[in-house]
Amino acid sequence: MEQKEENVLRKVGEEMQEQHIKKEKQKIILADVQDKIEKERTMKLSIKEGSATSVMGGLGEAYITPYALAISGRLGSLVVGFLSAFSGLLAPLSQIVGSRLIERYKRKNLIAVGVALQALMWLPILLLGLLFWKNLFVSSLPVILIIFYSLYAVFGSISGPAWFSLLGDIVPENIRGRYFSRRNKICGTIALLATLAGAFILDYFKTKGFLLIGFSVLFIGALVFRLISAWLFAKHYETKLELKQG
């Protein structure tokens, strides 16, 4: 908890003592105040996390198709089709698994681990471009790309149910629409700027004759910002999960 939040709780405690409120009631009031403070802090963190994720999407996901075409040669269109098909199939199946996992693990930990593993998938993906550049295992690279991008989709989707559940508990229902509208506007703007920045970076390296190096630079950026996202998730506040029978 930050110093400012601790000062607020201390001030509330002192005011209750001055009003001679019973200790049991003081504990309940302080717990409610702390819960509200932590939720507000997490809502701010979520916007920062969404911004980091948007940068990852703008530098990484936005350029996975041209990357696949660049390292697949004549099979480019087929590889792009498989990328879309496998990620589209495995992502919703992973969410089913993720909805079961939230019954066994803390949601923010589940999200942070899933997001961190998703971030790490950019490392082997970008290395494929370097292998292609060195003319190593060229015929196998499209298959390897499909495998790792499918894993990328799985790790990202498996934490989806935990994210929806956690944010649903954090954001009050009466401001939920307004909050997510603001969050989506900020994240959408950042994603657009990141995509434009990625285009300029890629064009620069292409004019120098190092297109695949350009992709590697973009994917390193995607990896870094997704790891930042995982770090921010680890700092989220988590309320007690109440599972409904049925």
Side-chain angles (χ1 to χ4, degrees):
M1 186 182 299
E2 297 180 357
Q3 186 64 40
K4 183 179 178 180
E5 296 166 352
E6 292 178 353
N7 291 338
V8 171
L9 288 175
R10 188 181 300 110
K11 185 176 180 180
V12 172
E14 291 173 354
E15 290 178 353
M16 288 191 295
Q17 288 179 355
E18 292 175 358
Q19 297 175 18
H20 304 291
I21 297 176
K22 293 181 179 180
K23 288 187 176 181
E24 291 298 322
K25 191 171 182 180
Q26 286 185 28
K27 291 181 180 179
I28 295 173
I29 294 173
L30 284 174
D32 288 341
V33 172
Q34 183 175 357
D35 181 71
K36 184 177 180 181
I37 290 173
E38 290 290 349
K39 285 181 177 179
E40 290 177 350
R41 180 183 65 83
T42 298
M43 287 167 62
K44 293 177 182 178
L45 277 178
S46 182
I47 292 177
K48 294 178 182 178
E49 179 279 318
S51 299
T53 298
S54 296
V55 175
M56 182 273 294
L59 296 179
E61 292 180 0
Y63 294 100
I64 196 67
T65 295
Y67 181 66
L69 293 172
I71 68 171
S72 301
R74 292 177 298 176
L75 297 175
S77 298
L78 183 63
V79 173
V80 170
F82 277 121
L83 278 176
S84 177
F86 278 101
S87 59
L89 173 64
L90 294 175
L93 293 177
S94 302
Q95 290 184 347
I96 297 175
V97 176
S99 64
R100 297 295 182 183
L101 291 177
I102 62 176
E103 300 174 6
R104 302 177 57 186
Y105 303 102
K106 292 184 68 173
R107 289 170 291 177
K108 75 171 186 178
N109 292 343
L110 182 61
I111 298 168
V113 171
V115 167
L117 290 173
Q118 184 186 39
L120 293 176
M121 291 302 100
W122 285 114
L123 187 57
I125 288 174
L126 70 89
L127 288 176
L128 296 180
L130 299 179
L131 290 175
F132 184 86
W133 190 37
K134 293 292 185 178
N135 202 31
L136 297 173
F137 312 110
V138 174
S139 61
S140 301
L141 296 183
V143 176
I144 299 173
L145 176 61
I146 293 170
I147 292 172
F148 279 110
Y149 193 71
S150 296
L151 289 173
Y152 168 88
V154 167
F155 290 133
S157 298
I158 204 168
S159 57
W163 184 85
F164 281 109
S165 174
L166 180 62
L167 267 292
D169 288 345
I170 293 296
V171 183
E173 187 174 356
N174 62 321
I175 65 166
R176 197 169 292 166
R178 186 167 68 253
Y179 170 77
F180 281 107
S181 174
R182 177 170 175 265
R183 184 181 187 275
N184 290 341
K185 286 179 183 178
I186 293 172
C187 294
T189 301
I190 291 175
L192 177 60
L193 294 175
T195 303
L196 291 174
F200 283 116
I201 292 171
L202 208 57
D203 183 66
Y204 171 79
F205 279 96
K206 183 179 180 180
T207 58
K208 299 295 182 180
F210 298 106
L211 178 62
L212 292 175
I213 300 297
F215 280 116
S216 296
V217 171
L218 295 186
F219 295 159
I220 287 173
L223 183 149
V224 170
F225 276 95
R226 197 52 169 157
L227 287 177
I228 292 173
S229 177
W231 174 68
L232 290 171
F233 271 127
K235 298 178 68 176
H236 277 35
Y237 170 62
E238 181 171 2
T239 59
K240 183 178 179 181
L241 178 63
E242 296 181 3
L243 297 173
K244 297 181 179 180
Q245 300 293 329

